[in-house]
PDB file of all heavy atoms in Angstrom:
ATOM      1  N   LEU A   1     -53.821  29.686  31.985  1.00 98.00           N
ATOM      2  CA  LEU A   1     -54.461  29.087  30.814  1.00 98.00           C
ATOM      3  C   LEU A   1     -53.416  28.548  29.842  1.00 98.00           C
ATOM      4  O   LEU A   1     -53.562  27.456  29.282  1.00 98.00           O
ATOM      5  CB  LEU A   1     -55.334  30.129  30.098  1.00 98.00           C
ATOM      6  CG  LEU A   1     -56.418  30.831  30.904  1.00 98.00           C
ATOM      7  CD1 LEU A   1     -57.114  31.877  30.037  1.00 98.00           C
ATOM      8  CD2 LEU A   1     -57.427  29.847  31.452  1.00 98.00           C
ATOM      9  N   THR A   2     -52.346  29.334  29.660  1.00 97.00           N
ATOM     10  CA  THR A   2     -51.295  28.968  28.712  1.00 97.00           C
ATOM     11  C   THR A   2     -50.676  27.616  29.044  1.00 97.00           C
ATOM     12  O   THR A   2     -50.527  26.749  28.181  1.00 97.00           O
ATOM     13  CB  THR A   2     -50.201  30.049  28.732  1.00 97.00           C
ATOM     14  OG1 THR A   2     -50.751  31.278  28.272  1.00 97.00           O
ATOM     15  CG2 THR A   2     -49.030  29.666  27.870  1.00 97.00           C
ATOM     16  N   ALA A   3     -50.277  27.467  30.301  1.00 97.00           N
ATOM     17  CA  ALA A   3     -49.627  26.223  30.724  1.00 97.00           C
ATOM     18  C   ALA A   3     -50.563  25.039  30.541  1.00 97.00           C
ATOM     19  O   ALA A   3     -50.162  23.970  30.051  1.00 97.00           O
ATOM     20  CB  ALA A   3     -49.186  26.349  32.181  1.00 97.00           C
ATOM     21  N   ASP A   4     -51.808  25.236  30.908  1.00 97.00           N
ATOM     22  CA  ASP A   4     -52.795  24.166  30.783  1.00 97.00           C
ATOM     23  C   ASP A   4     -53.051  23.841  29.310  1.00 97.00           C
ATOM     24  O   ASP A   4     -53.153  22.678  28.917  1.00 97.00           O
ATOM     25  CB  ASP A   4     -54.092  24.594  31.475  1.00 97.00           C
ATOM     26  CG  ASP A   4     -55.120  23.481  31.536  1.00 97.00           C
ATOM     27  OD1 ASP A   4     -54.863  22.471  32.212  1.00 97.00           O
ATOM     28  OD2 ASP A   4     -56.175  23.623  30.887  1.00 97.00           O
ATOM     29  N   ALA A   5     -53.125  24.886  28.483  1.00 98.00           N
ATOM     30  CA  ALA A   5     -53.415  24.680  27.059  1.00 98.00           C
ATOM     31  C   ALA A   5     -52.282  23.952  26.351  1.00 98.00           C
ATOM     32  O   ALA A   5     -52.525  23.085  25.500  1.00 98.00           O
ATOM     33  CB  ALA A   5     -53.676  26.029  26.381  1.00 98.00           C
ATOM     34  N   PHE A   6     -51.042  24.292  26.684  1.00 97.00           N
ATOM     35  CA  PHE A   6     -49.923  23.625  26.009  1.00 97.00           C
ATOM     36  C   PHE A   6     -49.880  22.145  26.373  1.00 97.00           C
ATOM     37  O   PHE A   6     -49.457  21.314  25.558  1.00 97.00           O
ATOM     38  CB  PHE A   6     -48.598  24.295  26.334  1.00 97.00           C
ATOM     39  CG  PHE A   6     -47.476  23.833  25.449  1.00 97.00           C
ATOM     40  CD1 PHE A   6     -47.475  24.140  24.092  1.00 97.00           C
ATOM     41  CD2 PHE A   6     -46.431  23.081  25.955  1.00 97.00           C
ATOM     42  CE1 PHE A   6     -46.454  23.707  23.260  1.00 97.00           C
ATOM     43  CE2 PHE A   6     -45.402  22.640  25.131  1.00 97.00           C
ATOM     44  CZ  PHE A   6     -45.409  22.956  23.777  1.00 97.00           C
ATOM     45  N   GLU A   7     -50.322  21.814  27.575  1.00 97.00           N
ATOM     46  CA  GLU A   7     -50.379  20.404  27.949  1.00 97.00           C
ATOM     47  C   GLU A   7     -51.399  19.646  27.099  1.00 97.00           C
ATOM     48  O   GLU A   7     -51.304  18.430  26.957  1.00 97.00           O
ATOM     49  CB  GLU A   7     -50.680  20.251  29.438  1.00 97.00           C
ATOM     50  CG  GLU A   7     -49.500  20.634  30.323  1.00 97.00           C
ATOM     51  CD  GLU A   7     -49.670  20.233  31.782  1.00 97.00           C
ATOM     52  OE1 GLU A   7     -50.778  19.765  32.156  1.00 97.00           O
ATOM     53  OE2 GLU A   7     -48.692  20.372  32.548  1.00 97.00           O
ATOM     54  N   THR A   8     -52.356  20.362  26.522  1.00 97.00           N
ATOM     55  CA  THR A   8     -53.276  19.720  25.584  1.00 97.00           C
ATOM     56  C   THR A   8     -52.510  19.177  24.385  1.00 97.00           C
ATOM     57  O   THR A   8     -52.801  18.088  23.880  1.00 97.00           O
ATOM     58  CB  THR A   8     -54.336  20.726  25.087  1.00 97.00           C
ATOM     59  OG1 THR A   8     -54.846  21.463  26.190  1.00 97.00           O
ATOM     60  CG2 THR A   8     -55.488  20.020  24.395  1.00 97.00           C
ATOM     61  N   PHE A   9     -51.533  19.953  23.916  1.00 97.00           N
ATOM     62  CA  PHE A   9     -50.699  19.496  22.802  1.00 97.00           C
ATOM     63  C   PHE A   9     -49.805  18.329  23.227  1.00 97.00           C
ATOM     64  O   PHE A   9     -49.702  17.324  22.521  1.00 97.00           O
ATOM     65  CB  PHE A   9     -49.828  20.649  22.285  1.00 97.00           C
ATOM     66  CG  PHE A   9     -50.566  21.640  21.435  1.00 97.00           C
ATOM     67  CD1 PHE A   9     -51.168  22.758  22.004  1.00 97.00           C
ATOM     68  CD2 PHE A   9     -50.663  21.476  20.057  1.00 97.00           C
ATOM     69  CE1 PHE A   9     -51.841  23.683  21.223  1.00 97.00           C
ATOM     70  CE2 PHE A   9     -51.341  22.394  19.265  1.00 97.00           C
ATOM     71  CZ  PHE A   9     -51.932  23.502  19.853  1.00 97.00           C
ATOM     72  N   THR A  10     -49.148  18.475  24.375  1.00 95.00           N
ATOM     73  CA  THR A  10     -48.208  17.429  24.791  1.00 95.00           C
ATOM     74  C   THR A  10     -48.921  16.143  25.183  1.00 95.00           C
ATOM     75  O   THR A  10     -48.343  15.058  25.096  1.00 95.00           O
ATOM     76  CB  THR A  10     -47.338  17.926  25.954  1.00 95.00           C
ATOM     77  OG1 THR A  10     -48.173  18.334  27.053  1.00 95.00           O
ATOM     78  CG2 THR A  10     -46.476  19.106  25.515  1.00 95.00           C
ATOM     79  N   GLU A  11     -50.173  16.255  25.605  1.00 95.00           N
ATOM     80  CA  GLU A  11     -50.967  15.058  25.889  1.00 95.00           C
ATOM     81  C   GLU A  11     -51.417  14.379  24.601  1.00 95.00           C
ATOM     82  O   GLU A  11     -51.804  13.217  24.604  1.00 95.00           O
ATOM     83  CB  GLU A  11     -52.199  15.424  26.723  1.00 95.00           C
ATOM     84  CG  GLU A  11     -51.879  15.824  28.161  1.00 95.00           C
ATOM     85  CD  GLU A  11     -53.046  16.541  28.841  1.00 95.00           C
ATOM     86  OE1 GLU A  11     -54.119  16.669  28.182  1.00 95.00           O
ATOM     87  OE2 GLU A  11     -52.899  16.988  29.988  1.00 95.00           O
ATOM     88  N   GLY A  12     -51.382  15.127  23.498  1.00 92.00           N
ATOM     89  CA  GLY A  12     -51.763  14.575  22.199  1.00 92.00           C
ATOM     90  C   GLY A  12     -50.535  14.117  21.439  1.00 92.00           C
ATOM     91  O   GLY A  12     -49.669  13.418  21.976  1.00 92.00           O
ATOM     92  N   LYS A  13     -50.423  14.588  20.205  1.00 96.00           N
ATOM     93  CA  LYS A  13     -49.318  14.145  19.350  1.00 96.00           C
ATOM     94  C   LYS A  13     -48.128  15.104  19.386  1.00 96.00           C
ATOM     95  O   LYS A  13     -47.187  14.959  18.612  1.00 96.00           O
ATOM     96  CB  LYS A  13     -49.813  13.998  17.908  1.00 96.00           C
ATOM     97  CG  LYS A  13     -50.892  12.931  17.736  1.00 96.00           C
ATOM     98  CD  LYS A  13     -51.395  12.894  16.291  1.00 96.00           C
ATOM     99  CE  LYS A  13     -52.499  11.852  16.125  1.00 96.00           C
ATOM    100  NZ  LYS A  13     -53.046  11.840  14.738  1.00 96.00           N
ATOM    101  N   GLY A  14     -48.169  16.098  20.263  1.00 97.00           N
ATOM    102  CA  GLY A  14     -47.055  17.023  20.374  1.00 97.00           C
ATOM    103  C   GLY A  14     -47.426  18.433  19.956  1.00 97.00           C
ATOM    104  O   GLY A  14     -48.583  18.714  19.602  1.00 97.00           O
ATOM    105  N   PRO A  15     -46.456  19.359  19.986  1.00 98.00           N
ATOM    106  CA  PRO A  15     -46.739  20.782  19.738  1.00 98.00           C
ATOM    107  C   PRO A  15     -47.370  21.085  18.386  1.00 98.00           C
ATOM    108  O   PRO A  15     -48.000  22.135  18.233  1.00 98.00           O
ATOM    109  CB  PRO A  15     -45.353  21.429  19.844  1.00 98.00           C
ATOM    110  CG  PRO A  15     -44.561  20.502  20.691  1.00 98.00           C
ATOM    111  CD  PRO A  15     -45.052  19.134  20.358  1.00 98.00           C
ATOM    112  N   TYR A  16     -47.210  20.180  17.419  1.00 98.00           N
ATOM    113  CA  TYR A  16     -47.757  20.455  16.088  1.00 98.00           C
ATOM    114  C   TYR A  16     -48.922  19.530  15.760  1.00 98.00           C
ATOM    115  O   TYR A  16     -49.210  19.270  14.590  1.00 98.00           O
ATOM    116  CB  TYR A  16     -46.640  20.355  15.045  1.00 98.00           C
ATOM    117  CG  TYR A  16     -45.562  21.383  15.293  1.00 98.00           C
ATOM    118  CD1 TYR A  16     -44.426  21.059  16.048  1.00 98.00           C
ATOM    119  CD2 TYR A  16     -45.691  22.684  14.830  1.00 98.00           C
ATOM    120  CE1 TYR A  16     -43.439  22.005  16.309  1.00 98.00           C
ATOM    121  CE2 TYR A  16     -44.711  23.642  15.089  1.00 98.00           C
ATOM    122  CZ  TYR A  16     -43.596  23.299  15.833  1.00 98.00           C
ATOM    123  OH  TYR A  16     -42.639  24.249  16.090  1.00 98.00           O
ATOM    124  N   ASP A  17     -49.612  19.077  16.809  1.00 98.00           N
ATOM    125  CA  ASP A  17     -50.795  18.229  16.639  1.00 98.00           C
ATOM    126  C   ASP A  17     -51.858  19.031  15.889  1.00 98.00           C
ATOM    127  O   ASP A  17     -52.400  20.016  16.400  1.00 98.00           O
ATOM    128  CB  ASP A  17     -51.312  17.803  18.013  1.00 98.00           C
ATOM    129  CG  ASP A  17     -52.429  16.769  17.937  1.00 98.00           C
ATOM    130  OD1 ASP A  17     -53.298  16.891  17.052  1.00 98.00           O
ATOM    131  OD2 ASP A  17     -52.446  15.848  18.777  1.00 98.00           O
ATOM    132  N   ALA A  18     -52.173  18.623  14.669  1.00 97.00           N
ATOM    133  CA  ALA A  18     -53.073  19.388  13.794  1.00 97.00           C
ATOM    134  C   ALA A  18     -54.477  19.487  14.369  1.00 97.00           C
ATOM    135  O   ALA A  18     -55.141  20.528  14.243  1.00 97.00           O
ATOM    136  CB  ALA A  18     -53.110  18.762  12.402  1.00 97.00           C
ATOM    137  N   ALA A  19     -54.954  18.414  15.008  1.00 97.00           N
ATOM    138  CA  ALA A  19     -56.318  18.416  15.547  1.00 97.00           C
ATOM    139  C   ALA A  19     -56.437  19.401  16.709  1.00 97.00           C
ATOM    140  O   ALA A  19     -57.421  20.151  16.814  1.00 97.00           O
ATOM    141  CB  ALA A  19     -56.706  17.008  15.993  1.00 97.00           C
ATOM    142  N   VAL A  20     -55.436  19.409  17.581  1.00 98.00           N
ATOM    143  CA  VAL A  20     -55.462  20.343  18.710  1.00 98.00           C
ATOM    144  C   VAL A  20     -55.311  21.780  18.201  1.00 98.00           C
ATOM    145  O   VAL A  20     -55.989  22.695  18.683  1.00 98.00           O
ATOM    146  CB  VAL A  20     -54.348  20.002  19.722  1.00 98.00           C
ATOM    147  CG1 VAL A  20     -54.350  21.013  20.876  1.00 98.00           C
ATOM    148  CG2 VAL A  20     -54.537  18.592  20.269  1.00 98.00           C
ATOM    149  N   ALA A  21     -54.435  21.983  17.214  1.00 98.00           N
ATOM    150  CA  ALA A  21     -54.255  23.320  16.646  1.00 98.00           C
ATOM    151  C   ALA A  21     -55.547  23.844  16.035  1.00 98.00           C
ATOM    152  O   ALA A  21     -55.871  25.030  16.168  1.00 98.00           O
ATOM    153  CB  ALA A  21     -53.146  23.297  15.597  1.00 98.00           C
ATOM    154  N   GLU A  22     -56.293  22.971  15.389  1.00 98.00           N
ATOM    155  CA  GLU A  22     -57.558  23.391  14.796  1.00 98.00           C
ATOM    156  C   GLU A  22     -58.565  23.773  15.873  1.00 98.00           C
ATOM    157  O   GLU A  22     -59.300  24.752  15.731  1.00 98.00           O
ATOM    158  CB  GLU A  22     -58.122  22.271  13.908  1.00 98.00           C
ATOM    159  CG  GLU A  22     -59.508  22.541  13.335  1.00 98.00           C
ATOM    160  CD  GLU A  22     -59.605  23.816  12.510  1.00 98.00           C
ATOM    161  OE1 GLU A  22     -58.557  24.306  12.018  1.00 98.00           O
ATOM    162  OE2 GLU A  22     -60.729  24.333  12.358  1.00 98.00           O
ATOM    163  N   ARG A  23     -58.610  23.015  16.979  1.00 98.00           N
ATOM    164  CA  ARG A  23     -59.499  23.380  18.100  1.00 98.00           C
ATOM    165  C   ARG A  23     -59.089  24.731  18.685  1.00 98.00           C
ATOM    166  O   ARG A  23     -59.944  25.544  19.058  1.00 98.00           O
ATOM    167  CB  ARG A  23     -59.452  22.318  19.197  1.00 98.00           C
ATOM    168  CG  ARG A  23     -60.128  21.013  18.865  1.00 98.00           C
ATOM    169  CD  ARG A  23     -60.691  20.305  20.106  1.00 98.00           C
ATOM    170  NE  ARG A  23     -59.773  20.241  21.224  1.00 98.00           N
ATOM    171  CZ  ARG A  23     -58.862  19.292  21.415  1.00 98.00           C
ATOM    172  NH1 ARG A  23     -58.712  18.338  20.499  1.00 98.00           N
ATOM    173  NH2 ARG A  23     -58.092  19.301  22.489  1.00 98.00           N
ATOM    174  N   LEU A  24     -57.782  24.959  18.762  1.00 98.00           N
ATOM    175  CA  LEU A  24     -57.283  26.229  19.286  1.00 98.00           C
ATOM    176  C   LEU A  24     -57.690  27.379  18.375  1.00 98.00           C
ATOM    177  O   LEU A  24     -58.164  28.421  18.842  1.00 98.00           O
ATOM    178  CB  LEU A  24     -55.761  26.165  19.415  1.00 98.00           C
ATOM    179  CG  LEU A  24     -55.070  27.386  20.006  1.00 98.00           C
ATOM    180  CD1 LEU A  24     -55.382  27.529  21.486  1.00 98.00           C
ATOM    181  CD2 LEU A  24     -53.549  27.295  19.801  1.00 98.00           C
TER     182      LEU A  24
END
């Protein structure tokens, strides 16, 4: 899950993508 979830950030605006962080 971890590896897949971090790719959500990298597919977006990067590790500090605010929208992805809020979904998380």
Side-chain angles (χ1 to χ4, degrees):
L1 304 177
T2 296
D4 187 65
F6 192 67
E7 288 192 353
T8 314
F9 283 91
T10 57
E11 290 164 3
K13 297 177 181 178
Y16 298 94
D17 188 320
V20 178
E22 175 57 22
R23 288 210 313 273
L24 183 70

